[in-house]
Amino acid sequence: MPALSVSGLPDPAQLAELFERYTVLRDTIQGLEAEREALGLVIKAALLAGVSVEGELYRAVLKRSRRIEYPLARFREVFGDAAALEVASIDKKKAEALAKAGDLDSDRLRELAEVKEIISLVLVGRGED
């Protein structure tokens, strides 16, 4: 950690050096995250194809989760512009709160709902289940 001046700020002479270190760390982290995402896509595809993979410490598994979304065009068609604007991104909680308050028809909202499946790559410690 750099020496701080009385004001609590780094010595101005060190600031350029600190900034350079910051940019190197940021670029390194972004590069590593991009590589991790690319590798994750390849591993997910292999797992979806039925291949299993594990290393010394971990094994890869897929975790499936679901979330409900409401398609904007259909939501707007069913409930109108004002309701679509009210929930903006058609947030599940906001839409359900409007239905609970009686501002939207609960049955029609339920019929409109779409379930989206999300598949995540999860590392599980070997020996854990």
Side-chain angles (χ1 to χ4, degrees), residues 78-93:
V78 171
F79 296 113
D81 291 341
L85 214 61
E86 180 75 26
V87 294
S89 65
I90 317 303
D91 178 270
K92 178 182 181 284
K93 289 181 181 178

Side-chain angles (χ1 to χ4, degrees), residues 37-93:
E37 290 300 315
L39 292 171
L41 290 174
V42 171
I43 294 166
K44 262 198 240 184
L47 292 172
L48 285 168
V51 179
S52 63
V53 63
E54 64 180 56
E56 279 187 43
L57 300 175
Y58 301 102
R59 64 184 167 83
V61 296
L62 294 178
K63 177 184 171 193
R64 295 175 188 268
S65 58
R66 295 169 193 238
R67 74 172 181 239
I68 294 178
E69 294 182 352
Y70 304 102
L72 179 58
R74 286 278 300 130
F75 188 95
R76 185 174 170 213
E77 181 182 303
V78 171
F79 296 113
D81 291 341
L85 214 61
E86 180 75 26
V87 294
S89 65
I90 317 303
D91 178 270
K92 178 182 181 284
K93 289 181 181 178

